[in-house]
Amino acid sequence: MARMNKQVGPFAVLLFLVAVFLVLAAVSWLFPPDGIRISEDIRLRFPGPREILTPEDTQYADISHLLEALNNDEGLFLPDTGIVDRHDAYRYEEGEGINGQEQRLVTDTSPHLQPDRLVEQLADDESDTLLTPVAGAGSIRSVLFPLEMPPGEDGVLDGFFSSLVRSGTGGDVPRIIHYGDSQIENNRITSALRQNIQSKFGGSGTGMFPVISPAPHSASVQVITRGNWTRYTPRGRGGERSDHNRYGLLMSYCLAEPAGADFAPASFTLRRTGTGPALSRIMNRLTVFTGFSQDTFVMEFLAGGERKDTEPVLPGDSLSSVTWDLPRDATEFTVRITGNGGVPVFAVSIDAENGVAVDNVPMRGSSGLEFTAADPALMKRMMDILNVRLVILQFGVNVVPDIADDYSWYEDALVRQLGFLKSVAPGASFIVAGVSDMSRRTAGGHYESYPNIELIRDAQRNAAFRSGAAFWDLYEAMGGRNSMPSWVAADPPLGQHDYVHFTFRGSALIGDMLYYAIMQRYEEWAGNPGR
């Protein structure tokens, strides 16, 4: 039988193409703008109508003024300050997982990412070079982005400024607590702020930190634990959930379980590394905050492996603390805990006897809304003991992926958190540092700012002003919209390739800029004879 060849006419081809186009148009219209998450590392995206019909023309922020100031600032990483540029020694993996399940911090062992050198130990070095400011007054200061004050309330930082004047008199060490999300992990941003503050007003040490943390706390101190330790947090993020709300100022606590057949006595060792900012490497005094134990336990203090002191802590339902002066000739210090029950450690702190103490408290995956979950009595007790005079809140990147048109809910939630913190620290001043720029990849392969960042920034500013707090616009300080790609493209990079986090060099720049914004207000206050 003869085989018939049926040709497809041009009209049928046209109908087929029109049908395909309509299907693709429907998919493009209905597909979620942020795509569909297939796995932790894969997200399926489909270009929207605007991306198809409008050629992409992404304009990146001009940050040449920041780069020029940074390049001219010979003091930022001078050897005599002891700061080593480790801007990529720790990095965040590129991918998803900012909100609630943050990107994993990994150690990069590539040779070009390691510190250029180790600086010498500072056990006997208290020369004047340690008081050299991190940044030169003629460079980073030239790109100052000022603090904003609530309307009609220019004096919201006056109490903190008064404490700075008294900081050199001894016995009155004002404390700054810098709370934030993963953007400040590993002492990023805080480290430069601390070095500057302590260079001007005195003080040393890395401040408070937990026995166990999701990321390394500081380049200056290595923490080594032995025995059975468990970390507890309000939401179980980065640890386990607790059956009570006694978290303390670090918004977490570490429980030392008693020794048993499988575990040695719980202990932690603090080892000098010889790296990091100069003043952070000085270890003068160690304080351990504990208590709330049903049984008596003993804390042994060892320096260089030699037992120096033994302190019994009696059972009770209150906060206890033990303080030791640290021998300057020892390179490591150990605290060993023995007892019959679990012993909570709320914080470990390395400070000086005068000057200013500055704490770095990263809360990975947080939006800054967990403070009200903590026991206010314990928070207030620690605030009073430690003389907290300034609290800086820096959150926002974990809110950004939840794109919405209205963030009044976030503003109201922040007001509640600030109200709680002000109730437990009535003598403290507050600064809210706004969300940083954060980029996502477009269908054309470029990176551009999330469309909701300015809305979140505005909600944070409103919350700060409603609460009597100062506000620092980090987003605009970076350069505004599409500034993060410019920070990533800088040489050397100021932003990491997840287009969310800063490198160590970038975070040092941010810390310097924040310091000078605070100092601008301080100098205005100090120069006012009617204060």
Side-chain angles (χ1 to χ4, degrees), residues 437-459:
D437 188 37
M438 177 172 159
S439 303
R440 61 179 181 176
R441 189 192 297 268
T442 67
H446 301 284
Y447 282 89
E448 64 179 17
S449 297
Y450 276 79
N452 56 340
I453 291 181
E454 294 180 11
L455 294 175
I456 296 171
R457 183 271 316 273
D458 293 345

Side-chain angles (χ1 to χ4, degrees), residues 207-511:
M208 284 191 299
F209 54 92
V211 174
I212 302 173
S213 60
H217 167 72
S218 169
S220 304
V221 181
Q222 181 185 11
V223 183
I224 303 167
T225 60
R226 294 178 177 86
N228 189 13
W229 289 88
T230 306
R231 183 172 185 261
Y232 292 89
T233 62
R235 296 183 180 178
R237 183 184 295 127
E240 302 294 331
R241 285 182 178 271
S242 175
D243 57 0
H244 59 75
N245 66 345
R246 293 190 298 269
Y247 296 105
L249 294 186
L250 298 185
M251 292 304 295
S252 67
Y253 70 91
C254 299
L255 188 69
E257 299 288 357
D262 298 325
F263 299 104
S267 68
F268 62 87
T269 297
L270 309 179
R271 181 174 296 165
R272 302 180 192 263
T273 64
T275 63
L279 294 172
S280 294
R281 287 182 281 142
I282 298 176
M283 301 171 67
N284 286 334
R285 188 172 59 178
L286 169 65
T287 301
V288 179
F289 291 91
T290 180
F292 296 95
S293 177
Q294 297 179 355
D295 302 288
T296 299
F297 61 92
V298 175
M299 303 183 73
E300 296 178 87
F301 172 65
L302 299 87
E306 179 183 350
R307 182 184 292 110
K308 297 292 186 178
D309 187 35
T310 300
E311 293 286 344
V313 180
L314 299 178
D317 194 26
S318 61
L319 180 70
S320 298
S321 63
V322 181
T323 299
W324 296 281
D325 292 329
L326 301 179
R328 297 173 60 189
D329 58 350
T331 59
E332 67 176 40
F333 312 96
T334 297
V335 175
R336 182 182 299 142
I337 302 173
T338 56
N340 295 324
V343 178
V345 176
F346 299 105
V348 177
S349 190
I350 300 176
D351 301 303
E353 295 180 356
N354 51 37
V356 182
V358 184
D359 303 314
N360 169 266
V361 186
M363 299 162 59
R364 180 180 291 195
S366 174
S367 300
L369 305 182
E370 292 94 340
F371 294 102
T372 50
D375 175 26
L378 177 57
M379 292 277 283
K380 188 176 189 311
R381 180 62 178 152
M382 293 186 71
M383 289 278 192
D384 292 342
I385 292 175
L386 290 167
N387 192 30
V388 177
R389 302 310 302 268
L390 176 65
V391 177
I392 302 173
L393 301 181
Q394 183 179 339
F395 295 93
V397 297
N398 295 296
V399 182
V400 173
D402 295 327
I403 297 176
D405 296 325
D406 179 34
Y407 287 92
S408 58
W409 66 268
Y410 187 50
E411 175 184 331
D412 293 339
L414 281 178
V415 169
R416 289 192 293 272
Q417 302 304 312
L418 283 162
F420 172 82
L421 289 171
K422 296 190 82 171
S423 71
V424 299
S429 302
F430 288 79
I431 296 174
V432 175
V435 63
S436 54
D437 188 37
M438 177 172 159
S439 303
R440 61 179 181 176
R441 189 192 297 268
T442 67
H446 301 284
Y447 282 89
E448 64 179 17
S449 297
Y450 276 79
N452 56 340
I453 291 181
E454 294 180 11
L455 294 175
I456 296 171
R457 183 271 316 273
D458 293 345
Q460 292 173 321
R461 177 191 286 118
N462 293 340
F465 288 174
R466 287 170 57 187
S467 305
F471 180 74
W472 191 56
D473 193 344
L474 175 53
Y475 171 73
E476 289 296 341
M478 291 178 61
R481 178 169 175 78
N482 289 337
S483 55
M484 181 55 83
S486 300
W487 283 57
V488 174
D491 184 20
L494 302 176
Q496 299 192 30
H497 281 84
D498 63 354
Y499 290 82
V500 177
H501 299 92
F502 299 112
T503 62
F504 272 76
R505 180 176 286 267
S507 67
L509 173 58
I510 295 296

Side-chain angles (χ1 to χ4, degrees), residues 155-170:
V156 295
L157 297 180
D158 287 1
F160 168 61
F161 294 154
S162 296
S163 71
L164 291 179
V165 174
R166 300 190 300 270
S167 63
T169 61

Side-chain angles (χ1 to χ4, degrees), residues 92 102 180-185 188 363-365 397-398 501:
Y92 286 83
E102 279 215 10
D181 45 39
S182 60
Q183 197 68 279
I184 70 167
E185 276 187 340
R188 286 174 302 152
M363 299 162 59
R364 180 180 291 195
V397 297
N398 295 296
H501 299 92

